[in-house]
Amino acid sequence: MPQSMTGYGRGEAATNHVTVVVELKSVNNRFRDLQLRVPREYGALEPRMLSLLKAAIARGRVDVFIRRQGVGSERRLTTDRSLARAYVEAAQQLAQELPGVDGSVSLAFVLSQPGVLVVEEAETDVMGEWPIVEAALTAAIDDLLTMRQTEGAALVTTLKTYVTEARDLAAHVEAAVVSVAETIQQRLQQRLDRLIAERLDPARLAQEVAILADKADISEELTRLGSHLDQLSDALESDEPVGRRLDFLLQELNREANTMGAKTADHAVSAHVVELKALLERMREQSANLQ
């Protein structure tokens, strides 16, 4: 069953040291467009993430949000002892040179000086955390695909209903064409009578008859219309991505409908053709969401 390109997925995985949360948001797009927003530490893992996503998603824009949260503090506080001694020695030396100044230096003074206390970020073991990232991303992809499949099933059901309606309209067009055949014959006879009265040669008469008959005949368009609808129905039963195929078939269906509309001037036929074209546009809008 074809998938929708619209969906949302979430996955989470954790160890004693880190928790990773992945969110996926997908919308329709003619191509596959993967947008990753990952923590700075995970930049080296992006090729692996893209590989997982590409294996599961053929079309659509997917925004990928990954959050990483360490369990406990990932920062370490250290002191620059050499710098601290330098501050103390400088203060004491200055006190010796300034009469009446107390040369004692407090610990609070030393610690308040720039560079004495240093906060260091703990180094992240990026490759060591890949199994956690992979688990969270895989869970998010599975969640997304489940939603896309559900949405896809609903779209397919709607499109199948539209295909049935299109077949009914095509049948109405065909019936209307048959019903106006008498009128066409009368017009043809009148044209022939006029041409005969003008004493045109038989070859010219045959040519005029052929042109008039061809202009009124839409049997070929109806046959191709039915064939395209059959192919569209088959595509809706496929498990493979069919979005581009549906787009092509709907273009061809619209082409046939336009030709039928141009060939017939009868109001009853034209009304059904207009309705068919409106239905094909609704089908195009719905199929645009299928992968």
Side-chain angles (χ1 to χ4, degrees), residues 233-290:
S233 294
D234 292 341
L236 292 175
E237 299 296 334
S238 173
D239 292 328
E240 301 297 323
V242 295
R244 290 190 177 91
R245 184 179 176 191
L246 294 181
D247 183 58
F248 169 76
L249 288 171
L250 285 166
Q251 287 182 30
E252 294 302 306
L253 284 164
N254 197 62
R255 192 195 314 277
E256 301 303 336
N258 285 333
T259 304
M260 288 190 294
K263 277 190 172 184
T264 179
D266 182 79
H267 176 73
V269 178
S270 297
H272 291 311
V273 171
V274 169
E275 192 175 352
L276 176 61
K277 291 170 67 174
L279 178 61
L280 291 174
E281 178 59 23
R282 294 199 297 274
M283 293 174 70
R284 187 195 63 78
E285 292 174 355
Q286 294 295 323
S287 67
N289 291 314
L290 284 176

Side-chain angles (χ1 to χ4, degrees), residues 23-24 33-37 50 53 61-65:
E23 289 184 286
L24 306 177
D33 182 12
L34 305 175
Q35 298 292 325
L36 273 64
R37 295 170 178 80
L50 289 171
L53 289 163
R61 176 190 169 97
V62 182
D63 290 299
V64 183
F65 304 90

